[in-house]
Amino acid sequence: MLNIGKPSAKDHAEVAKYVKARLFDEERKKRIFNPTTRTIGIDKDALDRQVQEKKILRDQEQAKQQAYSNKLLQDCATSLKLDEQNKKKQKEIDLEILEYRKKYQAPETRREFDIYDPLQCRKGQPNRIGDDDPRITLSSVQRFEGEEGTTKEQKAEQIKQQRVWLEMQIREKNKTREENKNVERTWQETEHTTVQRAMALATLENECRRKLIEANYRYNQALASEQKMNKSIMEAESNEDKMVEVYNAITGDFLTENPELGFNSALGPGKISTSLYKGLTPAMKQAIYDEQASQRAELKVFHLRTIKNR
């Protein structure tokens, strides 16, 4: 048995949808027939709500930003404080380490301190006291050639040798200076030659470019003259063709209305072309006139015979 009297959930949904649509239409009618809203052309209440919502959102965003900034400042202060505490603690640890090393790890208490003792040279004896030092043996190589004595002849010889070496160094320096001057002079000459050659090449290139520009100019002038001449010839031919066309149109059969064209049909002899028919020719008219005159004469003769027979 069908349950017609009891509405279903779908019916309730349809009714709610219909009621919502009707309420929306009523609200829309109010907005449409409201003179203020219709004149302005906008929904002022909706705009006010949007402005209020944007203001609330802006205030919330500002409060959020302010809270974030305060939290950031607080975190920065905490971080600085912790950093300062860590530095202070590390400094105390370093001081304790230094104090421990001074007290329990002194350099002189080490086993290998005698190897790198900074006062070792002061504490020990020199390797060589003099030429007659008994510690000097044959294999120690402490005496070299030229150290046997300090006589005047030996000193004079050493001074002479030094003078010879000094003169050799001076000559070598002068020779090197001259070679450098020659190299510098050669380089300057080469550079001057290169610059002169570059300038000559640039001048030649400019001259070639100028001649090429002049040749292009002359070619363009000749080409322009040829084009102008061809244009004038084409215009003259076009004008001539136009004059011929005008003459043919004026003297043609279409404007002169030649009546013979209507009788030259492609359908065969004796046929008339309706699109080109211009009337009868003078010969045809004259033939008709002659036939009419002949008929009138025959009719006149016929009337005379009739009268005689009566």
Side-chain angles (χ1 to χ4, degrees):
M1 183 176 179
L2 295 175
N3 191 5
I4 299 175
K6 185 178 181 180
S8 62
K10 185 176 181 181
D11 295 335
H12 286 293
E14 290 292 334
V15 171
K17 184 177 180 182
Y18 174 73
V19 172
K20 184 178 180 181
R22 188 176 65 182
L23 292 176
F24 179 77
D25 291 337
E26 292 294 332
E27 292 293 334
R28 184 168 176 271
K29 288 180 181 179
K30 290 180 181 180
R31 290 196 303 271
I32 292 173
F33 293 106
N34 188 2
T36 305
T37 307
R38 187 172 63 250
T39 303
I40 296 175
I42 57 176
D43 191 354
K44 187 174 181 302
D45 297 333
L47 291 178
D48 292 338
R49 287 195 301 272
Q50 291 178 1
V51 170
Q52 188 66 24
E53 291 175 357
K54 287 184 178 180
K55 185 177 180 181
I56 294 171
L57 291 175
R58 191 183 303 111
D59 294 339
Q60 292 178 355
E61 187 66 25
Q62 289 179 357
K64 188 186 296 183
Q65 291 292 335
Q66 186 66 29
Y68 177 75
S69 300
N70 295 333
K71 185 66 170 62
L72 184 61
L73 291 174
Q74 185 179 0
D75 293 342
C76 290
T78 305
S79 177
L80 291 173
K81 187 175 180 181
L82 291 175
D83 192 10
E84 186 177 357
Q85 291 178 359
N86 291 331
K87 288 181 179 180
K88 186 175 180 181
K89 188 175 181 180
Q90 186 65 34
K91 187 176 181 181
E92 293 177 354
I93 293 172
D94 294 339
L95 290 175
E96 291 178 358
I97 291 173
L98 289 175
E99 187 66 26
Y100 178 80
R101 287 177 178 176
K102 287 180 181 180
K103 187 174 181 181
Y104 299 104
Q105 293 181 352
E108 55 271 10
T109 60
R110 298 175 186 173
R111 184 176 56 184
E112 65 276 5
F113 179 71
D114 57 341
I115 299 175
Y116 53 86
D117 187 4
L119 301 177
Q120 183 179 5
C121 295
R122 296 182 182 180
K123 295 177 182 178
Q125 294 181 356
N127 294 327
R128 177 185 177 187
I129 299 174
D131 294 339
D132 298 330
D133 192 349
R135 295 178 297 171
I136 297 175
T137 59
L138 188 63
S139 62
S140 62
V141 194
Q142 295 293 322
R143 296 179 182 181
F144 298 94
E145 184 180 359
E147 294 183 353
E148 291 81 4
T150 57
T151 61
K152 294 182 179 180
E153 293 80 6
Q154 187 176 359
K155 289 183 179 180
E157 188 67 25
Q158 290 177 355
I159 294 172
K160 185 178 179 180
Q161 185 68 33
Q162 290 177 358
R163 185 181 296 109
V164 172
W165 291 343
L166 183 60
E167 290 176 357
M168 290 177 61
Q169 291 177 2
I170 291 172
R171 286 196 298 270
E172 290 178 358
K173 287 184 179 180
N174 292 332
K175 185 178 179 181
T176 305
R177 190 181 299 108
E178 290 295 330
E179 289 179 354
N180 292 333
K181 287 182 180 180
N182 293 331
V183 171
E184 183 70 21
R185 190 182 303 108
T186 305
W187 182 81
Q188 290 179 357
E189 292 176 357
T190 305
E191 186 179 7
H192 181 71
T193 304
T194 305
V195 171
Q196 293 293 331
R197 185 176 180 183
M199 292 176 63
L201 291 175
T203 304
L204 182 61
E205 184 179 359
N206 293 330
E207 185 68 20
C208 293
R209 188 181 292 108
R210 185 180 62 80
K211 290 183 179 180
L212 181 61
I213 292 172
E214 291 179 356
N216 289 333
Y217 177 75
R218 289 194 296 271
Y219 174 76
N220 292 331
Q221 290 291 333
L223 186 62
S225 300
E226 184 180 359
Q227 290 179 355
K228 186 176 181 180
M229 185 181 296
N230 293 333
K231 185 178 180 181
S232 60
I233 292 171
M234 291 177 64
E235 289 180 355
E237 291 178 354
S238 178
N239 292 330
E240 186 177 357
D241 293 340
K242 290 179 181 178
M243 293 300 294
V244 171
E245 184 178 359
V246 171
Y247 176 78
N248 292 333
I250 292 173
T251 59
D253 296 330
F254 181 76
L255 295 179
T256 55
E257 296 184 356
N258 187 5
E260 294 180 358
L261 295 175
F263 301 98
N264 296 329
S265 177
L267 299 176
K271 300 294 183 180
I272 296 175
S273 179
T274 57
S275 60
L276 300 175
Y277 181 72
K278 303 296 181 180
L280 297 175
T281 63
M284 292 181 178
K285 291 181 180 180
Q286 187 63 36
I288 292 172
Y289 293 156
D290 294 342
E291 182 66 24
Q292 289 177 353
S294 175
Q295 290 178 0
R296 285 196 297 270
E298 291 178 0
L299 183 60
K300 186 175 180 181
V301 171
F302 177 75
H303 282 300
L304 290 174
R305 288 179 181 176
T306 304
I307 290 172
K308 289 179 179 183
N309 291 329
R310 288 181 181 178

